[in-house]
């Protein structure tokens, strides 16, 4: 038969092992990215690129020829800077959506609540950082609520005169369609 002293010793040993196992299993921070920022700098929007890392984007207080400069920083999965560059965007437009696909990042810019707006779609290839720009012309007063990429097209959802509307944009032939329904 096992003595009470042996049982107490086994309980103390198992509790000690549990505590040390839990301490050893704590999550550690594998990497960290820091960037100095001035008080007047805008905050970054952080975009997960899944296996491609992270994208950080923010507007800067710099203007060139009626365009506002946006800073885009691409980080790999180890939080090391891969590429930093500036995008020139119409100063009246703001970032309203983004979409990530393997190897690509899409940014959608739109002016305030203007009638019959033109949306700017920026496509960035993450491997070589080629940038393509598209203008999505709408004849609608669209209040945007959704933006997704489907195959080689983009689906843009929102409201026109408080009624739901869905647009399909094809960059290959620069064509925008209003989907029925």
């Amino acid at each position: 038969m096992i003595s009470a002293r042996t049982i107490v010793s086994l309980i103390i040993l198992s509790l000690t092992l549990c505590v040390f196992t839990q301490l050893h299993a704590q999550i550690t921070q594998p990497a960290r990215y820091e960037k100095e920022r001035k008080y007047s700098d805008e905050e970054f929007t952080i975009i997960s690129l899944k296996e491609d890392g992270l994208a950080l984007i923010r507007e800067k207080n710099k203007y060139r020829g009626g365009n506002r400069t946006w800073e885009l920083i691409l980080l790999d999965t180890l939080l090391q800077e891969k590429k930093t560059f500036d995008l020139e965007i119409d100063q009246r437009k703001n970032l309203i959506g983004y979409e990530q696909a393997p190897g690509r990042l899409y940014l959608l810019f739109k002016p305030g609540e203007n009638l019959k707006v033109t949306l700017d779609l920026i496509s960035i290839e993450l491997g070589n950082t080629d940038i393509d720009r598209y203008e999505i012309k709408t004849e609608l007063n669209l209040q945007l609520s959704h933006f997704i990429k489907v195959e080689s097209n983009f689906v843009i959802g929102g409201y026109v005169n408080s009624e739901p509307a869905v647009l399909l944009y094809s960059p290959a032939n620069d064509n925008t369609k209003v989907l029925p329904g």
Side-chain angles (χ1 to χ4, degrees), residues 59-129:
E59 57 186 307
K60 295 171 81 174
N61 290 323
K62 292 184 182 176
Y63 297 89
R64 198 176 302 152
N67 292 327
R68 179 177 279 225
T69 302
W70 287 72
E71 180 182 21
L72 178 66
I73 301 171
L74 299 176
L75 305 175
D76 62 14
T77 55
L78 299 175
L79 301 181
Q80 301 298 312
E81 274 190 37
K82 291 193 304 190
K83 179 80 174 171
T84 299
F85 49 96
D86 292 336
L87 299 171
E88 301 286 327
I89 306 295
D90 184 337
Q91 67 182 352
R92 296 168 295 180
K93 296 186 178 180
N94 294 311
L95 178 68
I96 57 165
Y98 53 84
E99 183 72 15
Q100 182 272 339
R104 291 197 87 67
L105 173 63
Y106 302 95
L107 304 170
L108 188 64
F109 293 87
K110 175 185 182 272
E113 298 298 322
N114 297 344
L115 298 174
K116 299 179 183 175
V117 299
T118 299
L119 305 172
D120 289 347
L121 176 65
I122 310 294
S123 172
I124 302 161
E125 187 174 333
L126 300 174
N128 58 15
T129 61

Side-chain angles (χ1 to χ4, degrees), residues 108-165:
L108 188 64
F109 293 87
K110 175 185 182 272
E113 298 298 322
N114 297 344
L115 298 174
K116 299 179 183 175
V117 299
T118 299
L119 305 172
D120 289 347
L121 176 65
I122 310 294
S123 172
I124 302 161
E125 187 174 333
L126 300 174
N128 58 15
T129 61
D130 284 343
I131 298 174
D132 295 317
R133 294 175 178 257
Y134 305 97
E135 282 190 349
I136 304 172
K137 296 178 176 127
T138 65
E139 295 297 320
L140 305 169
N141 180 11
L142 179 68
Q143 294 176 329
L144 190 82
S145 63
H146 293 81
F147 168 65
I148 59 171
K149 183 175 187 314
V150 179
E151 298 285 324
S152 62
N153 300 313
F154 293 90
V155 177
I156 300 167
Y159 294 90
V160 176
N161 297 327
S162 301
E163 295 291 325

Side-chain angles (χ1 to χ4, degrees), residues 159-178:
Y159 294 90
V160 176
N161 297 327
S162 301
E163 295 291 325
V166 178
L167 303 175
L168 180 69
Y169 175 70
S170 173
N173 55 14
D174 193 27
N175 188 12
T176 305
K177 296 178 185 177
V178 178

